[in-house]
Structure formats: structure tokens, C-alpha cells
Amino acid sequence: MSDVLAPARLGPLTLRNRVLKAATFEGRTPDALVTDELVEFHREVAAGGVGMTTVAYCAVAPGGRTDRHQIWMRPEAVPGLRRLTDAVHAEGAAVSAQLGHAGPVANAKSNRAPALAPSRMFNPLGMRFTKVPDALGIAEVVEAHARAARLAREAGFDAVEVHLGHNYLASAFLSPMLNRRKDDYGGSLVNRARLARQLVRAVRDAAGDSMAVTAKLTMEDGVRGGFSIEESLQVARWLQDDGAVDAIELTAGSSLLNPMAIFRGDAPRRNFARALPIPVRWGFRLVGGQFLREYPYRPAYLLDKARRFRAELTIPLILLGGITDLAGAEQARTEGFDFVAMGRALLREPDLIRRWQDDRATPSLCTHCNECVPTIYSKTRCVLRT
């Protein structure tokens, strides 16, 4: 059996293989609570053979959602989440909850709560300006992450992933372009990274020793003046030295400013515009070409940047981006990456890992058309799947 498909340790966990279902919005929680469709979404991919699936996205506060339909971690959500974790465990997989605060990526109008950002800026989704948290407000965000981790543990999750990427709140604080603060959370990189490190420590303390804790970290924002790869390397070193995470998942791009740097491949601008609420749709039609830039797809497209992290860090790393076949996953292992995370390929074929076990040469049917991206507002799915 390939090393990728053999059992592996992630912190206190033993996973049945090294393939993780990456966090991808599911669009199946209309009342911000677990539904049968959400349970089935994760049960299916667990039955398909992954080592662990990730529930995305579990906001730590009502205003931390990208819209009001997403789950936010509160006692009322626990019974449904327990039903989900039980279903995944019954299929032999582990399950992680992605915890975070959307910050400037939140839709303030939909949430009926202000969107937070390190500095004042216009929030295009909510069509209003963001709220800048003071020291007390930041402390509340930190405690909200700890509370969410405790609820995740109560709900039976094996792991939690702290979202430090894509210009969500922690990532916005890391960005020198979005963070113009003059206090202890702005200016130098050590100050801009303070919130991220506090969040991870709070989650670790709340999760205890029986759960794995990972962090999703942007390697670079992909915009001029944004968070750079050199800064990300330093933050990753601090996270490693702080000893609060069991692994770092490396990503790239900004949901706020340059989302296609995350996905690569075709940019489905027309269908994306149709999925947006008015008046955001009108604005998108004017600037959609700049917002949804087109990057050529290639296998393992984040590997070149991720190699720099592997060369300088000893902490386990999770490679994301363009892993669609067993050969690509094995290349990642050969280069020292401990796990691989997959998103779109598993939307296309939830049973792909089982098929790898039967035939190592099995190719993915994903065409990287990215037409799944606009469906995040109406049940995330592969439009080619029959």
C-alpha cells in the first residue's frame, strides 16, 4: 500500500490515511444549523475513503459568518454536529471543524451584525463600513474561538482547524495593506501576528490534548501590498515554536481581493455574478474581471511556494491545491509533506480515494472548470456530477 494510503499520526490522532477533505463551503445550513443534507455530504466523502473530512465553515460568532445561513458555534448547534460526527465516524474517518471569524469577508447586511476588520474599510458584501475592534473586542474574538473549540469537542470532533487565511479576520490582521492600526495589533509583523497566535493558543487550551489542532495559513495574499511569503514564513515559524498546533495547512490568495489565487483554472464570472445578491451583482459586473482573475491550472500548483516552508520548518505540513491523483499525492509525500488536502476533486468524485486503493492509476474526473465555486450559495456541488 502507498504511504499516502497508510495510517498516519496527526497530533493525538491516528488517521487511516494521509488524505484530508479540505474545508469547502457546503451551503447546506439554511437555518445556521446542521441538516440531513450536510450530514450526508460529509458521510459520503468519509465513505469514499478520506482519512479526515473538514466541516466548513463553523463561525465562532454570528457576525463572523460570511452570511447568516452558515453555522455558528453555539449550544443549539451541538446536537446536529454530534449527529454529523457520529455519521462520519461510522464510515471509519475522522472529522474536523474549521473555526474562524470572517472579519471583512462577512456579509454584515445578511448577518445583521457589523463586519469586523483591523482598520476601517468598506465592506462590499454588506455595502457598509466595517467595525474596528478595540482591545476588548479583540479579547471577545479570542474567547469566542476558545468557546467554539469547547463546543466542537462536546460535539465529537476529532480536530479543529483555525482559519488564519484568505483575509478572514486573523488574516486581515496579518496583512499590512488591511491592517493600519497603531496599537499592539498593528505595525510590525510581530504585532500583526499577535491575534493569530492568540487564537491558536486559545483554541489549543480549550481543545485539550485529545483533539488535533491545525492552522490554515495563507502563504501570500496575491495582491500588491498584501501579506507576503517572507512574512508568512516567519508567522509559520512562530506558530511552530509556540507549540500550539499539530500541523499547518498551506494555502494562498484572498477571498476578499483575489480568490482565484486559491483555486486556479477557469474563472466562471458569469455564473458567479448570477449567484450574488443585488446590488453586489451589479458591482461585480463592472469589476469582475479584476476580482476573478484567471490563473492557468497545473497539478500541485501551490507546491513551488510550499517547498520554501518545508525547507525551513519541522512541523507537519498539509499541502493543498491541485492534488487530484495518487501520483501527485505521492510526490507531496516524497518532498516531505505529511498530508494532502483535496477539495474540488472530491466534489466531483467523493469515492476517489477508494478508487485509488483499487487502482493506483485512477485519474480524477475534475476538469478545474470551477463552476462549483458559484454553487457555494446554493448547495456546493460539482455541476458535472450526475
Side-chain angles (χ1 to χ4, degrees):
M1 180 183 288
S2 163
D3 179 39
V4 172
L5 300 178
R9 295 284 294 178
L10 174 60
L13 308 179
T14 298
L15 304 183
R16 63 184 176 187
N17 58 53
R18 297 177 182 272
V19 182
L20 313 181
K21 166 63 176 67
T24 53
F25 286 169
E26 299 98 346
R28 288 165 169 79
T29 55
D31 299 315
L33 293 168
V34 171
T35 60
D36 290 345
E37 287 180 301
L38 183 67
V39 173
E40 177 57 21
F41 181 93
H42 287 283
R43 188 211 62 78
E44 184 180 38
V45 77
V50 297
M52 183 165 74
T53 185
T54 310
V55 179
Y57 144 86
C58 301
V60 301
R65 298 173 289 179
T66 62
D67 71 67
R68 70 177 180 275
H69 302 296
Q70 288 176 329
I71 293 174
W72 66 278
M73 298 298 280
R74 62 206 192 277
E76 293 85 350
V78 170
L81 291 169
R82 169 61 78 170
R83 189 158 53 90
L84 188 157
T85 60
D86 286 346
V88 170
H89 291 152
E91 299 292 350
V95 56
S96 177
Q98 184 188 62
L99 305 180
H101 192 295
V105 183
N107 186 330
K109 182 178 180 181
S110 175
N111 291 336
R112 303 182 181 95
L116 300 184
S119 303
R120 181 176 165 84
M121 59 176 288
F122 186 70
N123 171 242
L125 289 172
M127 300 299 288
R128 58 199 66 185
F129 283 92
T130 57
K131 178 181 178 181
V132 178
D134 57 14
L136 179 60
I138 291 172
E140 290 173 349
V141 169
V142 174
E143 174 52 33
H145 278 73
R147 182 169 58 250
R150 289 191 290 269
L151 290 170
R153 184 175 60 186
E154 182 181 343
F157 282 94
D158 305 285
V160 287
E161 175 185 282
V162 187
H163 201 328
L164 307 179
H166 304 162
N167 283 159
Y168 281 45
L169 187 61
S171 175
F173 268 78
L174 289 170
S175 167
M177 179 175 69
L178 300 178
N179 184 347
R180 303 181 302 279
R181 299 174 74 101
K182 304 299 183 183
D183 62 2
D184 290 344
Y185 289 89
S188 67
L189 180 59
V190 69
N191 282 356
R192 285 183 278 122
R194 193 180 306 278
L195 176 60
R197 297 171 74 181
Q198 288 178 335
L199 296 180
V200 169
R201 171 49 62 189
V203 167
R204 165 56 74 194
D205 290 345
D209 297 330
S210 62
M211 296 179 73
V213 176
T214 66
K216 190 166 193 172
L217 179 67
T218 294
M219 292 184 286
E220 62 179 6
D221 289 342
V223 295
R224 183 176 298 178
F227 190 51
S228 68
I229 193 166
E230 289 77 16
E231 290 183 319
S232 184
L233 275 164
Q234 180 58 64
V235 173
R237 290 188 203 101
W238 285 331
L239 292 174
Q240 171 181 274
D241 294 345
D242 289 345
V245 292
D246 297 303
I248 298 174
E249 181 173 305
L250 300 170
T251 185
S254 163
S255 297
L256 186 68
L257 301 168
N258 189 8
M260 289 309 295
I262 307 167
F263 299 109
R264 310 296 171 91
D266 298 341
R269 298 186 185 100
R270 180 173 298 179
N271 286 338
F272 194 84
R274 289 173 178 162
L276 292 172
I278 298 173
V280 179
R281 184 185 309 171
W282 301 332
F284 180 84
R285 286 174 174 164
L286 294 175
V287 300
Q290 295 174 312
F291 180 66
L292 282 190
R293 308 172 197 178
E294 195 156 302
Y295 293 89
Y297 176 86
R298 59 184 175 83
Y301 53 80
L302 293 183
L303 180 57
D304 288 347
K305 292 182 174 64
R307 285 188 177 113
R308 295 185 59 180
F309 290 76
R310 184 67 290 165
E312 298 191 30
L313 301 170
T314 58
I315 191 171
L317 295 178
I318 303 166
L319 183 66
L320 173 72
I323 304 297
T324 58
D325 57 20
L326 184 55
E330 289 179 328
Q331 180 188 3
R333 280 295 295 140
T334 299
E335 299 204 26
F337 293 91
D338 301 82
F339 298 89
V340 294
M342 301 173 62
R344 289 165 294 176
L346 293 175
L347 290 178
R348 182 70 175 91
E349 301 168 278
D351 64 344
L352 182 58
I353 311 309
R354 293 286 187 207
R355 295 174 61 229
W356 285 357
Q357 292 169 336
D358 294 335
D359 180 359
R360 294 171 52 83
T362 298
S364 168
L365 298 179
C366 179
T367 64
H368 328 297
C369 67
N370 292 317
E371 292 294 345
C372 55
V373 178
T375 71
I376 65 174
Y377 301 102
S378 57
K379 298 180 185 178
T380 303
R381 63 196 181 279
C382 174
V383 301
L384 301 178
R385 186 179 172 194
T386 58

